[in-house]
Amino acid sequence: MSELKYIIFSDLDGTLLDHYSYSADEALSTLTHLKSLNIPVVLNTSKTFAETEIIQKDLELGTPFIIENGAAVCIPKVVFTEQPDDTVELGNYWVKSFSLPRKYWLKLLGQQSTSFKGMYKGFSQMSVEEISSLTGLSAEQATRASEREYGEPLQWLGSDESKNIFIKNLEAQGANVLQGGRFMHVCGHCDKGQALNWLVSQYRQHYQQHDVLTIALGDSFNDIKMLEAADIAVQIRSHTNEFPVLANVEHKTIIQTEHFGPKGWADAINDILST
Ligand SMILES: [Mg+2]
């Protein structure tokens, strides 16, 4: 029987990174162990290319990463021997995009601005200082966070009732609205699950005769599609929400962690690898 190849897909904020400190310290020894086993850890996040690339390099992953809630998959050219179909070359990466550009969604949001005046504020309307204070990011990190290419994060300031109408309006006009731990993301119909599936198909070609088993870890509602797409779904305990309900997962393994963030992450991966 051929050797089983694991691929791990992980959200960042509240999952591999602590919700408050943005630190992955409690998962570092597990990440080192995964590296020694040649198990790729693919970051799958709502963050931008600029933000994710730095974290991917800090953690010395050397793996592909998925940005802006599945809007694009960025594959370092060293990962696969050939350029995957339907990708474009951008610097040191092959990039597969799943969404229209940010300017399209900003235009759509602009059409909502009269009816929902004062009820929300998007990143494009915020200064770097405002993004810093909302997120706890440094000015440099907040600048990277603001460099979005495919969608617009916004802070909701109105009632839940208005929010539901706002979301329905945007969805009726073709937008996809995702709730993250801190922000609502207005973007195209891409999601972390679709991007996972596409990248897994590239890995299957790369691994050829090996069976592939996917593990996804996430804490919030924008992780649902990723968790549903994986063979093993790990729901990380969150400070901001209950475990989101997953659908169509009757035949899959679902783990709900006891601990929050990176501690829960490490516990779950260590348990899976030891069974
Ligand atoms: Mg999260």
Side-chain angles (χ1 to χ4, degrees), residues 75-82 89-94:
I75 305 169
K77 286 180 187 169
V78 292
V79 172
F80 299 132
T81 44
E82 285 177 29
E89 183 180 356
L90 283 174
N92 298 322
Y93 298 89
W94 304 118

mmCIF file of all heavy atoms in Angstrom, residues 75-82 89-94:
data_model
loop_
_atom_site.group_PDB
_atom_site.id
_atom_site.type_symbol
_atom_site.label_atom_id
_atom_site.label_comp_id
_atom_site.label_asym_id
_atom_site.label_seq_id
_atom_site.Cartn_x
_atom_site.Cartn_y
_atom_site.Cartn_z
ATOM 1 N N ILE A 75 1.538 29.867 -4.935
ATOM 2 C CA ILE A 75 2.396 28.673 -4.826
ATOM 3 C C ILE A 75 3.844 29.058 -5.106
ATOM 4 O O ILE A 75 4.162 29.468 -6.234
ATOM 5 C CB ILE A 75 1.954 27.604 -5.862
ATOM 6 C CG1 ILE A 75 0.467 27.286 -5.696
ATOM 7 C CG2 ILE A 75 2.806 26.345 -5.740
ATOM 8 C CD1 ILE A 75 -0.104 26.452 -6.828
ATOM 9 N N PRO A 76 4.721 28.956 -4.109
ATOM 10 C CA PRO A 76 6.141 29.210 -4.397
ATOM 11 C C PRO A 76 6.594 28.285 -5.533
ATOM 12 O O PRO A 76 6.227 27.100 -5.553
ATOM 13 C CB PRO A 76 6.846 28.857 -3.079
ATOM 14 C CG PRO A 76 5.781 28.937 -2.031
ATOM 15 C CD PRO A 76 4.508 28.547 -2.710
ATOM 16 N N LYS A 77 7.371 28.838 -6.462
ATOM 17 C CA LYS A 77 7.704 28.063 -7.668
ATOM 18 C C LYS A 77 8.486 26.786 -7.376
ATOM 19 O O LYS A 77 8.547 25.899 -8.212
ATOM 20 C CB LYS A 77 8.504 28.945 -8.625
ATOM 21 C CG LYS A 77 7.649 29.992 -9.315
ATOM 22 C CD LYS A 77 8.521 30.804 -10.240
ATOM 23 C CE LYS A 77 7.775 31.966 -10.837
ATOM 24 N NZ LYS A 77 8.700 32.880 -11.509
ATOM 25 N N VAL A 78 9.072 26.710 -6.173
ATOM 26 C CA VAL A 78 9.869 25.515 -5.857
ATOM 27 C C VAL A 78 9.012 24.321 -5.426
ATOM 28 O O VAL A 78 9.513 23.202 -5.332
ATOM 29 C CB VAL A 78 10.889 25.811 -4.718
ATOM 30 C CG1 VAL A 78 11.956 26.765 -5.203
ATOM 31 C CG2 VAL A 78 10.187 26.340 -3.478
ATOM 32 N N VAL A 79 7.720 24.558 -5.162
ATOM 33 C CA VAL A 79 6.889 23.491 -4.584
ATOM 34 C C VAL A 79 6.605 22.366 -5.582
ATOM 35 O O VAL A 79 6.728 21.189 -5.253
ATOM 36 C CB VAL A 79 5.569 24.065 -4.014
ATOM 37 C CG1 VAL A 79 4.628 22.948 -3.584
ATOM 38 C CG2 VAL A 79 5.855 24.987 -2.843
ATOM 39 N N PHE A 80 6.178 22.757 -6.797
ATOM 40 C CA PHE A 80 5.868 21.746 -7.817
ATOM 41 C C PHE A 80 6.887 21.846 -8.952
ATOM 42 O O PHE A 80 7.477 22.910 -9.160
ATOM 43 C CB PHE A 80 4.456 21.953 -8.382
ATOM 44 C CG PHE A 80 3.365 21.835 -7.340
ATOM 45 C CD1 PHE A 80 2.361 22.795 -7.251
ATOM 46 C CD2 PHE A 80 3.335 20.767 -6.456
ATOM 47 C CE1 PHE A 80 1.346 22.690 -6.300
ATOM 48 C CE2 PHE A 80 2.323 20.657 -5.499
ATOM 49 C CZ PHE A 80 1.334 21.617 -5.419
ATOM 50 N N THR A 81 7.048 20.747 -9.691
ATOM 51 C CA THR A 81 8.050 20.768 -10.760
ATOM 52 C C THR A 81 7.574 21.559 -11.980
ATOM 53 O O THR A 81 8.380 22.099 -12.727
ATOM 54 C CB THR A 81 8.417 19.329 -11.183
ATOM 55 O OG1 THR A 81 7.208 18.590 -11.295
ATOM 56 C CG2 THR A 81 9.324 18.671 -10.170
ATOM 57 N N GLU A 82 6.237 21.605 -12.178
ATOM 58 C CA GLU A 82 5.714 22.333 -13.343
ATOM 59 C C GLU A 82 4.689 23.370 -12.922
ATOM 60 O O GLU A 82 4.038 23.214 -11.885
ATOM 61 C CB GLU A 82 5.040 21.349 -14.303
ATOM 62 C CG GLU A 82 6.025 20.517 -15.090
ATOM 63 C CD GLU A 82 5.333 19.511 -15.982
ATOM 64 O OE1 GLU A 82 4.189 19.780 -16.427
ATOM 65 O OE2 GLU A 82 5.928 18.451 -16.211
ATOM 66 N N GLU A 89 2.143 33.830 -13.449
ATOM 67 C CA GLU A 89 3.413 33.990 -12.748
ATOM 68 C C GLU A 89 3.461 35.387 -12.137
ATOM 69 O O GLU A 89 3.273 36.380 -12.828
ATOM 70 C CB GLU A 89 4.553 33.810 -13.753
ATOM 71 C CG GLU A 89 5.919 33.883 -13.121
ATOM 72 C CD GLU A 89 7.035 33.697 -14.157
ATOM 73 O OE1 GLU A 89 6.724 33.433 -15.333
ATOM 74 O OE2 GLU A 89 8.199 33.838 -13.765
ATOM 75 N N LEU A 90 3.675 35.453 -10.831
ATOM 76 C CA LEU A 90 3.825 36.749 -10.152
ATOM 77 C C LEU A 90 5.033 36.649 -9.227
ATOM 78 O O LEU A 90 4.965 36.003 -8.182
ATOM 79 C CB LEU A 90 2.574 37.098 -9.330
ATOM 80 C CG LEU A 90 1.346 37.614 -10.084
ATOM 81 C CD1 LEU A 90 0.157 37.763 -9.156
ATOM 82 C CD2 LEU A 90 1.645 38.945 -10.765
ATOM 83 N N GLY A 91 6.149 37.236 -9.653
ATOM 84 C CA GLY A 91 7.375 37.154 -8.853
ATOM 85 C C GLY A 91 7.804 35.719 -8.662
ATOM 86 O O GLY A 91 7.930 34.969 -9.636
ATOM 87 N N ASN A 92 7.954 35.295 -7.415
ATOM 88 C CA ASN A 92 8.409 33.930 -7.119
ATOM 89 C C ASN A 92 7.270 32.928 -7.005
ATOM 90 O O ASN A 92 7.465 31.827 -6.491
ATOM 91 C CB ASN A 92 9.196 33.917 -5.799
ATOM 92 C CG ASN A 92 10.444 34.770 -5.890
ATOM 93 O OD1 ASN A 92 11.112 34.788 -6.928
ATOM 94 N ND2 ASN A 92 10.746 35.508 -4.829
ATOM 95 N N TYR A 93 6.091 33.324 -7.413
ATOM 96 C CA TYR A 93 4.895 32.487 -7.198
ATOM 97 C C TYR A 93 4.162 32.194 -8.498
ATOM 98 O O TYR A 93 4.186 32.983 -9.446
ATOM 99 C CB TYR A 93 3.911 33.199 -6.254
ATOM 100 C CG TYR A 93 4.478 33.457 -4.886
ATOM 101 C CD1 TYR A 93 5.178 34.635 -4.615
ATOM 102 C CD2 TYR A 93 4.339 32.524 -3.858
ATOM 103 C CE1 TYR A 93 5.718 34.874 -3.354
ATOM 104 C CE2 TYR A 93 4.870 32.755 -2.606
ATOM 105 C CZ TYR A 93 5.553 33.926 -2.355
ATOM 106 O OH TYR A 93 6.093 34.152 -1.111
ATOM 107 N N TRP A 94 3.452 31.047 -8.484
ATOM 108 C CA TRP A 94 2.377 30.793 -9.435
ATOM 109 C C TRP A 94 1.093 31.137 -8.689
ATOM 110 O O TRP A 94 0.891 30.665 -7.573
ATOM 111 C CB TRP A 94 2.341 29.326 -9.858
ATOM 112 C CG TRP A 94 3.616 28.796 -10.436
ATOM 113 C CD1 TRP A 94 4.376 27.791 -9.933
ATOM 114 C CD2 TRP A 94 4.263 29.223 -11.630
ATOM 115 N NE1 TRP A 94 5.462 27.578 -10.731
ATOM 116 C CE2 TRP A 94 5.427 28.434 -11.787
ATOM 117 C CE3 TRP A 94 3.992 30.203 -12.594
ATOM 118 C CZ2 TRP A 94 6.311 28.588 -12.852
ATOM 119 C CZ3 TRP A 94 4.866 30.351 -13.649
ATOM 120 C CH2 TRP A 94 6.007 29.556 -13.784
#
